[in-house]
C-alpha cells in the first residue's frame, strides 16, 4: 500500500490563472471538490465567471474572480497582494495561463514573439515572484508552474513557444532548489502537458497563415491524448507525491524519453520527418 496521502485542501486558498477554460477550469473544479477556497483569474471574464459558477453551485466553494493580464507585472503584484489581504493567506498557486503561436523564426514578427513570451514565460515569473512571499508566510506553500512537452524538446515552427516553456522549466527547477536551500516551506512542481484537448490551438496566433485554422485545430483535437480533467487530476496526484516534474500523457512521457536517450541528435531525425510531414499536409490541403 502506498504511504502517499492526498493533500489536505479543505480551507486552503488556491490561486489559478487561466481559469476560464481548459486545464485551468478543470483545476478549479477539482480543487473545489476537495474543499479549497479559490482565487481565479483570466483575461476572458465571461468564461471565468462560468468556471466560478460551476465551483460555487456544484461544490459550494468560496470563489473570487479577477480579470488579469498575467503579462502585466504591476497588475499581477496588485492582484497577489489583494488576494492575500482578502483571504488572509495563500497556500497554492497554479501559474497555468498560456497562449500559442505557430511561426518559423524567419517569418515571426517581434510583436507576436513578445506577446507569447510575455504571457507564457513572463506570466509564470510574475506570478511566482508576486505570490512567493505569501506562500512562504503560509507555512505550507505549493507553487505549480505549467511548462509543456515543448519544454522538453524543440519543435519546428514553435521556437517562441519552446523558448517560453524551456524558460519556465529552467526557472522553476532553479526556484525549487532555492526553496530547499533556504528551507522555506514551499514545494515546487513543474508540469509538462502533452497534447490536451483545450482551446489553445483554436486561439493561437499564426495558425491562419499556415493553413485553414479550423482544420488545423480539428486535427490537433484528434491527436491530443489527454483531457483537461485528466490533466488536472494528474497534476493534483503529482502534488500529493511532491513530484518535481509532472508529465501529462503518453506523448509527454515519450518525448521525455527521447530527450533523455537520444539527446540533441533527435533533431537530425526529426527535421527530415517533419519536412516529409509538411509535404503530405500540403498535398492534402491542410497547410499552405
Amino acid at each position: 500500500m502506498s504511504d502517499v496521502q492526498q493533500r489536505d485542501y479543505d480551507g486552503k486558498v488556491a490561486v489559478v490563472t487561466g481559469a476560464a477554460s481548459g486545464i485551468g477550469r478543470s483545476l478549479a473544479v477539482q480543487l473545489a471538490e476537495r474543499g479549497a477556497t479559490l482565487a481565479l483569474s483570466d483575461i476572458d471574464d465571461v468564461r471565468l465567471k462560468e468556471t466560478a459558477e460551476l465551483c460555487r453551485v456544484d461544490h459550494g466553494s468560496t470563489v473570487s474572480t479577477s480579470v488579469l493580464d498575467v503579462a502585466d507585472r504591476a497588475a499581477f503584484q496588485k492582484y497577489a497582494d489583494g488576494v492575500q489581504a482578502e483571504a488572509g493567506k495563500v497556500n497554492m498557486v497554479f501559474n497555468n495561463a498560456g497562449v500559442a503561436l505557430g511561426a518559423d523564426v524567419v517569418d515571426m514578427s517581434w510583436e507576436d514573439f513578445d506577446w507569447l513570451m510575455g504571457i507564457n514565460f513572463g506570466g509564470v515569473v510574475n506570478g511566482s515572484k508576486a505570490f512567493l512571499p505569501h506562500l512562504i508566510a503560509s507555512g505550507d506553500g505549493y507553487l505549480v508552474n505549467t511548462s509543456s512537452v515543448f519544454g522538453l524538446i524543440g519543435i519546428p515552427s514553435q521556437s517562441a513557444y519552446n523558448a517560453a516553456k524551456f524558460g519556465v522549466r529552467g526557472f522553476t527547477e532553479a526556484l525549487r532548489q532555492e526553496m530547499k536551500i533556504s528551507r522555506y516551506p514551499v514545494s515546487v512542481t513543474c508540469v509538462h502537458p502533452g497534447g490536451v484537448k483545450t482551446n489553445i490551438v483554436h486561439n493561437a496566433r499564426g495558425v491562419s497563415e499556415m493553413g485553414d485554422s479550423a482544420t488545423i485545430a480539428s486535427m490537433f483535437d484528434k491527436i491530443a491524448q489527454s483531457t483537461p480533467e485528466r490533466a488536472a487530476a494528474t497534476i493534483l496526484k503529482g502534488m500529493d507525491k511532491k513530484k518535481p516534474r509532472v508529465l501529462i500523457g503518453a506523448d509527454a512521457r515519450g518525448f521525455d524519453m527521447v530527450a533523455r536517450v537520444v539527446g540533441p541528435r533527435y533533431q537530425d531525425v526529426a527535421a527530415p520527418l517533419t519536412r516529409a510531414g509538411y509535404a503530405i499536409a500540403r498535398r492534402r490541403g491542410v497547410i499552405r
Side-chain angles (χ1 to χ4, degrees):
M1 180 181 296
S2 172
D3 59 357
V4 176
Q5 295 182 351
Q6 180 175 298
R7 289 178 60 82
D8 179 14
Y9 293 91
D10 190 33
K12 298 294 177 66
V13 178
V15 175
V16 184
T17 69
S21 62
I23 296 174
R25 173 174 286 187
S26 291
L27 276 170
V29 170
Q30 293 184 32
L31 287 164
E33 289 175 352
R34 290 162 172 76
T37 295
L38 302 174
L40 310 179
S41 68
D42 202 289
I43 200 72
D44 184 342
D45 187 36
V46 174
R47 291 185 178 181
L48 179 62
K49 289 177 178 176
E50 291 174 356
T51 300
E53 194 66 9
L54 284 172
C55 297
R56 291 190 187 105
V57 173
D58 293 350
H59 305 292
S61 300
T62 299
V63 187
S64 65
T65 61
S66 296
V67 176
L68 176 67
D69 177 1
V70 297
D72 186 334
R73 183 168 297 162
F76 216 142
Q77 185 65 59
K78 182 178 179 180
Y79 171 65
D81 294 342
V83 172
Q84 171 71 24
E86 181 179 345
K89 61 180 178 178
V90 177
N91 302 100
M92 292 168 276
V93 173
F94 298 81
N95 286 312
N96 166 77
V99 293
L101 166 65
D104 287 355
V105 174
V106 70
D107 301 317
M108 181 172 54
S109 72
W110 283 116
E111 179 186 0
D112 284 349
F113 178 80
D114 291 342
W115 168 75
L116 183 137
M117 291 297 292
I119 296 170
N120 288 11
F121 181 63
V124 170
V125 174
N126 293 341
S128 299
K129 279 281 287 177
F131 275 106
L132 202 53
H134 304 316
L135 290 172
I136 293 171
S138 76
D140 180 32
Y142 211 121
L143 178 67
V144 179
N145 289 338
T146 301
S147 177
S148 166
V149 65
F150 290 0
L152 302 171
I153 197 167
I155 303 295
S157 82
Q158 295 296 311
S159 57
Y161 197 83
N162 279 136
K165 295 305 186 177
F166 269 87
V168 168
R169 172 187 170 186
F171 175 85
T172 306
E173 291 180 2
L175 176 57
R176 181 173 184 271
Q177 295 174 71
E178 292 169 6
M179 295 297 98
K180 286 184 169 294
I181 291 168
S182 298
R183 295 183 176 174
Y184 286 130
V186 179
S187 301
V188 181
T189 293
C190 192
V191 178
H192 296 269
V196 180
K197 299 180 192 298
T198 69
N199 293 324
I200 192 165
V201 174
H202 295 264
N203 299 326
R205 290 190 183 183
V207 175
S208 59
E209 284 75 24
M210 297 172 65
D212 181 71
S213 301
T215 301
I216 293 173
S218 177
M219 288 183 62
F220 173 81
D221 289 341
K222 289 178 181 178
I223 64 175
Q225 297 187 357
S226 298
T227 64
E229 294 77 14
R230 191 178 307 147
T234 302
I235 292 169
L236 297 182
K237 184 177 180 180
M239 290 174 64
D240 290 342
K241 299 178 180 180
K242 293 190 176 181
K243 295 178 70 171
R245 177 182 294 181
V246 171
L247 303 174
I248 298 176
D251 48 352
R253 293 189 293 273
F255 277 113
D256 182 53
M257 180 64 69
V258 168
R260 292 172 185 270
V261 175
V262 182
R265 301 296 297 186
Y266 77 83
Q267 300 162 54
D268 298 331
V269 177
L273 290 176
T274 302
R275 187 187 302 116
Y278 283 170
I280 293 171
R282 288 191 185 96
R283 285 199 297 270
R284 295 181 177 178
V286 176
I287 63 173
R288 298 186 181 90

